[in-house]
Amino acid sequence: MSRLQVGGLALILDSVDEEIIGEVVVINGHDGFAVSPHDGNLYNYWNFDFDDELCSLPDFCLMPLGDDKGIEFYGLREEIMTGHDKECAQ
């Protein structure tokens, strides 16, 4: 199950257009399921705007950012510092 959602942020991990790999985009629509022309498998496709053009990629090409599950999974939440840690950091 994909954690991508309309209005959420996503990092582009893979694309035939290498120029957009590594860009962060806002997901603005769900295209449903489609067969990939690359491997013939059925994938969940999402769309977003990039340079004023509507683009669409399957979910395995996009990594969701900013949702609680992703923050926990990828270890993105800042650790709470103790008083001793704050003193050492100064």
Side-chain angles (χ1 to χ4, degrees):
M1 181 174 153
S2 176
R3 290 189 344 266
L4 293 165
Q5 58 187 344
V6 174
L9 296 175
L11 175 69
I12 299 174
L13 300 176
D14 191 20
S15 174
V16 292
D17 182 0
E18 293 181 5
E19 180 180 308
I20 68 173
I21 295 173
E23 296 289 335
V24 175
V25 294
V26 176
I27 302 297
N28 64 10
H30 179 242
D31 284 346
F33 293 90
V35 174
S36 169
H38 302 290
D39 61 14
N41 290 326
L42 185 67
Y43 292 108
N44 202 2
Y45 275 76
W46 297 86
N47 60 41
F48 53 91
D49 291 319
F50 190 81
D51 286 342
D52 297 327
E53 289 187 32
L54 183 64
C55 301
S56 183
L57 287 173
D59 53 8
F60 71 87
C61 291
L62 300 165
M63 180 175 74
L65 300 172
D67 65 328
D68 288 338
K69 185 71 174 174
I71 289 170
E72 179 183 328
F73 182 77
Y74 296 108
L76 301 175
R77 191 175 308 280
E78 291 182 30
E79 294 182 18
I80 298 172
M81 296 178 78
T82 65
H84 178 73
D85 294 334
K86 291 178 184 175
E87 290 171 11
C88 292
Q90 292 179 355

